[in-house]
Amino acid sequence: MTDLLAKFDSIRAEYDFLKGTGLSDPFGVVMERVLSPTRAIIRGRETILVGTYNYMGMTFDPDVIAAGKAAMDTFGAGSTGSRVLNGTFATHVAVEQALKDFYGTSSAIVFSTGYQANLGMVSTLAGKDDVILLDADSHASIYDGCKLGHAEVVRFRHNDAADLEKRLRRVPAGKGKLVILEGVYSMLGDVAPLRDLVAVSKAAGAMVLVDEAHAMGFFGPHGRGVYEEQGLEDQVDFVVGTFSKSVGTVGGFAVSNHPHFEILRLVCNPYRFTASLPPVVAASAEASIRKLMTATDKRARLWAASRRLHASLKGAGFRMATETPESAIIAVLMPTQEECVIMWSALLDQGIYCNLSRPPATPMGVYLLRCSLSSEHSLDDVDEITRRFVAARAATQALAA
Amino acid sequence: MAPSRDAVLARLLELIQPFNAKAVPLAEDTRFADDLEFDSLTVMDLVANMEDEWDINVPLNLLPDLETIGQVADAIVKLKAGA
Ligand SMILES: Cc1ncc(COP(=O)(O)O)c(C=O)c1O
């Protein structure tokens, strides 16, 4: 018998080595209690959360919780069914209406996760005679959507409109083209030059899908995303998003003004062949999305915290992944895997949780300590985070020396 | 006019050489992963250079089947013929 798990031996050896060093396991963090959008108890210690994508701090919003509890009481714990069978409750229709109101679109389709939204949209929109052109740094859910579908897949250099244009030109005439972009790229926190990328896409007759997972709520006048901020609402054909970040719960969605968008409900397997979100989640998401429409104070606080963290870490001598704070993801570049892991562990000892990111999730083989801010981080929190980063660096250098 | 396979192979070897850090002797049956030990980032750079050289898109879906230099030469000839 061939052991099918043997192919992972080298990864297992690496992981075992890491655990044997006595450092904390970056893939084994347990939140023992969650106190707020910015605080949890980890290993018995109160920890500042700086790596949760809880951008708008909606997880503990009283209206969101109340809406969820009411739906739980009214509709029960789960839907036990697909959206196209018994799994569409009034809560699902209501959250789709909230999305249409938020985005100003004629259609919205809710999936069970953002990962599934990308799987479904990418694999279903582009068929076997079509070509997908995707940014090289695309999220795993987009790559997996490509694998699930039958289209030809062409990758262009990250955020490079000239490279995209060249590849669009090489697509044989008559083929359908889908260009896939993201507003904010989640590893480095860099914002895409969507205006240029969308312009070359439209000039070549391609349809455009933008994943705005890391921009919802705080880019653009209505918080719709980078595409809104860059004035592209009448050019982008499909927007994909998630409830797992700014909305503060779980779920995914796609919105569009395409007159025939709704047909996807009947042909998209990652939509049809899975149970719908529990009503408690749909109702919480609806309440959250409606509040995000007017959350200008939260937006301002999130941007203030993000800018301050970037400036203070940079001032303390850390190498930042982006020269300026472009989004609410503030990532620190680490020179080696070893230092990255030691520093991550030292930060946790200091009561800071951020994300450790490494290849292949990161581009260009870089090692990152990735922070994401929340509107609920005070400026004092930000200063405390920086102080602890400095202390963790000292501990790391002592250990690495 | 589509280039001959010989011409494609000769130019392909030139394109691979800058990435061949271990100076492995290159032949038709040299394998990218096992012999040249190219990682995914190196493969991406090399593929981008090939695409520019022949003005083609090499679809990602093709890459898993392209293990040797000879297979890549075949694929380029085919893509050029199809373009
Ligand atoms: C760009 C992007 N798209 C999609 C997703 C998937 O979202 P979800 O957590 O809802 O599955 C994520 C987050 O993991 C993401 O970063």
Side-chain angles (χ1 to χ4, degrees), chain B:
Chain B
M1 203 190 76
S4 72
R5 188 175 184 286
D6 285 351
V8 165
L9 182 63
R11 184 69 186 122
L12 180 58
L13 295 177
E14 288 172 14
L15 291 178
I16 292 170
Q17 213 45 265
F19 299 100
N20 184 9
K22 299 206 167 127
V24 175
L26 301 181
E28 288 248 4
D29 60 356
T30 306
R31 293 164 302 175
F32 292 95
D34 297 334
D35 300 326
L36 295 171
E37 295 178 27
F38 282 3
D39 60 18
S40 59
L41 293 174
T42 308
V43 168
M44 191 172 154
D45 278 345
L46 173 62
V47 168
N49 291 350
M50 286 163 27
E51 290 174 312
D52 286 346
E53 173 71 25
W54 287 286
D55 198 27
I56 49 173
N57 285 328
V58 178
L60 272 189
N61 336 39
L62 277 188
L63 295 187
D65 296 330
L66 303 180
E67 288 181 6
T68 67
I69 292 178
Q71 287 168 349
V72 170
D74 290 338
I76 293 167
V77 170
K78 218 160 137 194
L79 286 166
K80 267 319 269 185

Side-chain angles (χ1 to χ4, degrees), chain A residues 103-313:
Chain A
Y103 286 94
T105 54
S106 54
S107 292
I109 299 183
V110 167
F111 294 77
S112 298
T113 66
Y115 177 85
Q116 277 172 291
N118 272 329
L119 274 193
M121 292 295 292
V122 173
S123 65
T124 310
L125 284 171
K128 79 173 175 26
D129 296 321
D130 304 321
V131 179
I132 293 171
L133 297 105
L134 83 166
D135 188 288
D137 289 2
S138 291
H139 189 257
S141 56
I142 295 171
Y143 275 102
D144 288 355
C146 291
K147 282 191 205 157
L148 186 64
H150 303 286
E152 202 172 284
V153 181
V154 172
R155 189 160 57 170
F156 62 89
R157 285 184 208 271
H158 178 53
N159 279 347
D160 187 334
D163 196 59
L164 170 59
E165 185 171 34
K166 192 164 68 184
R167 285 157 202 287
L168 281 162
R169 188 171 41 70
R170 291 174 186 157
V171 175
K175 283 199 177 251
K177 295 183 279 284
L178 176 66
V179 172
I180 303 180
L181 308 167
E182 294 176 35
V184 173
Y185 283 86
S186 62
M187 285 298 142
L188 305 181
D190 53 324
V191 167
L194 289 184
R195 212 175 285 133
D196 299 339
L197 294 162
V198 171
V200 300
S201 305
K202 289 283 133 181
M207 292 186 115
V208 176
L209 179 153
V210 182
D211 179 335
E212 293 279 10
H214 296 275
M216 181 178 186
F218 52 99
F219 276 91
H222 298 89
R224 289 171 186 162
V226 174
Y227 80 104
E228 187 196 23
E229 181 157 287
Q230 298 189 13
L232 300 167
E233 283 188 274
D234 55 349
Q235 315 243 350
V236 169
D237 299 277
F238 313 102
V239 173
V240 168
T242 173
F243 297 161
S244 75
K245 307 185 196 301
S246 294
V247 177
T249 171
V250 66
F253 63 88
V255 297
S256 176
N257 281 319
H258 194 294
H260 303 143
F261 188 65
E262 296 281 331
I263 193 63
L264 290 179
R265 292 187 201 271
L266 300 188
V267 294
C268 181
N269 283 359
Y271 177 79
R272 297 191 295 160
F273 287 100
T274 191
S276 66
L277 288 171
V280 49
V281 169
S284 301
E286 185 211 350
S288 179
I289 292 161
R290 295 217 175 272
K291 286 192 93 166
L292 289 181
M293 293 170 91
T294 53
T296 45
D297 289 356
K298 279 178 179 285
R299 272 180 218 172
R301 290 204 302 271
L302 176 60
W303 280 113
S306 303
R307 292 190 179 116
R308 178 126 156 181
L309 184 63
H310 189 282
S312 59
L313 288 176

